[in-house]
Amino acid sequence: MRWLLRTSAESGAGDHGHILLRLGQCVPFAVLLVGLGIELSPMHFLYTGPLLTAMPALAALTMGPLGTLSAAVGALAVSSTSATIHQAWGEGQVYSNLLGLVVVSVACVVISNVMRKRRENELNRIRRVSAAAQDVLLRPVSPRLGPLRAASIYLAAESEAQIGGDLYEAVQTPYGVRMIVGDVRGKGLPAVRAAAAVLGAFRETVHYERDLTEVVSRCAAAVQRERATADHDEEYKMECFVTVLVAQITNGSVVQLVNRGHPAPLVLHQGRARALGPRAPMPPLGLEDLTAGPPAATESYAFEPGDRLLIYTDGVVEARNESGDFFPLPAAMEALDAVTPQQFLEELHRRLICHTHDALMDDVAMILVDRVLESAHEPSPAARSAGR
């Protein structure tokens, strides 16, 4: 969702910074070419030694040790070429320039390497903190929940992050297994706080609220409180909303859903994937004032033994390849023959990464549940798929 709702200013700012970085990395080598051109032209009387000596230091500002070393080798090559063409090897100034260039190059490579290791250590610390936060906010679902086998997966679009605005949870309650998957509009810490507010409300109410729509109402109230009390700008308070899909599965052959602006889940039945509603679309949490219709109602769909249910965020179906094609989620589900839910999600993850060439534009969260077969003699979903 954030990929579709991202403003052009945000996208332009990121692209602008990336372009500036690339231009900065090209500057040292462009200067080396200019120096070489001066030495090979009638303007060779211009003294380029100090200019070449500064190139390793300039490269170290935007590149790592390898790039710095490349700039140093280039500067040495230009200086040696100039001394050879102009037959200046006997002059002391040439050796002074080369010595200065070597000293500066070695110092810059060493410093660049030290800084790179320091950044890696800081990033590792951030990742450890992020992993600890993820364990608290997004705990892996239990592999067995009543009549269900379950698995979950979370993929952050940011390469240096592990948590974002997507959320999920699945718990066993007195009213059956209840699950939620959601997506917060926005990114960064405000999105994480909104996700935490929704998850907190869900985890608190699912155990004592019999009505599933009341659980969703409590989550909506949590979003409103977060918008009202959080220290955000007015634009964020006006635009913050959360799409959620809340599901309930009991011992019967049905699944009950409340969909608040979220992508419809898919059920894999006898090797075919089909979307489950919604029959009456409702606004996301936080946008209740935009509709005057009746409150969200629970919808029921068939979910038989041997079926598989996938609840996901729109980062899955909005993932694009280099040609701009969306990830074909229903076809991917029908093509998989993994035995367990965890294996199924891992294979789906692999296909998603291959489709996008490891360049996700939005966070991804998925929960997969299997209704356990009533009889051990019934074929599994994998066997049904393989027998088509």
Side-chain angles (χ1 to χ4, degrees):
M1 173 170 46
R2 290 186 293 280
W3 177 77
L4 288 178
L5 295 175
R6 185 182 294 121
T7 63
S8 59
E10 291 173 335
S11 177
D15 293 342
H16 184 64
H18 182 73
I19 292 174
L20 288 179
L21 176 61
R22 292 301 182 189
L23 289 176
Q25 292 174 340
C26 293
V27 167
F29 301 99
V31 174
L32 290 178
L33 292 177
V34 171
L36 180 61
I38 292 175
E39 295 295 342
L40 298 178
S41 70
M43 299 176 61
H44 62 82
F45 59 87
L46 294 176
Y47 188 46
T48 60
L51 183 66
L52 297 176
T53 303
M55 288 308 99
L58 184 60
L61 295 176
T62 56
M63 292 182 285
L66 185 59
T68 304
L69 182 60
S70 300
V73 171
L76 286 171
V78 173
S79 297
S80 300
T81 301
S82 173
T84 301
I85 292 176
H86 302 301
Q87 299 179 354
W89 281 110
E91 300 178 6
Q93 190 176 39
V94 173
Y95 297 107
S96 298
N97 291 338
L98 291 177
L99 179 60
L101 183 56
V102 169
V103 171
V104 171
S105 299
V106 172
C108 289
V109 170
V110 171
I111 293 174
S112 179
N113 188 55
V114 170
M115 295 301 297
R116 179 182 62 84
K117 290 183 177 180
R118 180 178 297 178
R119 286 193 297 268
E120 288 180 352
N121 291 335
E122 292 177 353
L123 181 57
N124 288 333
R125 286 195 294 269
I126 292 173
R127 285 172 174 166
R128 287 194 295 268
V129 173
S130 178
Q134 185 182 33
D135 289 340
V136 174
L137 183 62
L138 298 176
R139 301 171 298 205
V141 303
S142 174
R144 186 63 186 263
L145 295 167
L148 306 175
R149 294 186 305 171
S152 62
I153 193 171
Y154 183 88
L155 304 173
E158 297 293 337
S159 59
E160 298 179 356
Q162 289 184 309
I163 56 176
D166 286 7
L167 58 101
Y168 68 83
E169 181 62 287
V171 294
Q172 190 170 359
T173 74
Y175 312 105
V177 178
R178 288 179 165 179
M179 299 171 288
I180 185 173
V181 173
D183 187 358
V184 181
R185 189 269 192 251
K187 57 183 179 179
L189 288 178
V192 174
R193 286 194 289 265
V198 173
L199 281 175
F202 177 81
R203 289 166 176 163
E204 179 184 0
T205 58
V206 288
H207 293 283
Y208 64 82
E209 287 290 351
R210 181 179 298 275
D211 191 348
L212 198 62
T213 58
E214 184 60 27
V215 174
V216 178
S217 297
R218 296 296 184 94
C219 294
V223 174
Q224 296 289 1
R225 289 194 299 270
E226 172 65 18
R227 291 171 56 179
T229 60
D231 185 18
H232 303 308
D233 56 38
E234 291 301 321
E235 181 180 359
Y236 174 83
K237 293 182 179 181
M238 294 296 295
E239 295 183 358
C240 176
F241 60 85
V242 186
T243 68
V244 297
L245 190 287
V246 180
Q248 175 176 288
I249 302 175
T250 60
N251 290 326
S253 297
V254 297
V255 55
Q256 296 176 309
L257 303 176
V258 177
N259 193 329
R260 294 292 298 270
H262 201 75
L266 296 173
V267 63
L268 189 63
H269 174 71
Q270 296 183 353
R272 298 297 178 186
R274 62 183 179 89
L276 303 183
R279 302 187 184 102
M282 295 296 297
L285 306 183
L287 298 183
E288 291 79 10
D289 295 339
L290 299 182
T291 178
T298 302
E299 299 179 351
S300 298
Y301 299 88
F303 186 50
E304 302 175 1
D307 289 353
R308 279 186 162 158
L309 177 70
L310 179 68
I311 309 176
Y312 56 92
T313 56
D314 54 8
V316 181
V317 291
E318 291 176 359
R320 296 173 180 254
N321 59 14
E322 294 178 345
S323 301
D325 301 321
F326 291 112
F327 179 65
L329 181 58
M333 289 183 63
E334 294 173 356
L336 296 180
D337 57 0
V339 176
T340 68
Q342 189 62 45
Q343 291 172 340
F344 191 95
L345 283 186
E346 289 174 356
E347 180 62 22
L348 196 62
H349 169 211
R350 187 189 66 81
R351 296 194 177 207
L352 179 64
I353 293 301
C354 289
H355 180 80
T356 61
H357 298 285
D358 201 13
L360 290 174
M361 298 299 295
D362 199 358
D363 297 344
V364 167
M366 292 184 283
I367 289 181
L368 181 75
V369 294
D370 284 358
R371 183 178 286 280
V372 177
L373 296 170
E374 296 176 349
S375 171
H377 299 290
E378 293 187 47
S380 66
R384 292 180 178 181
S385 178
R388 294 197 309 271

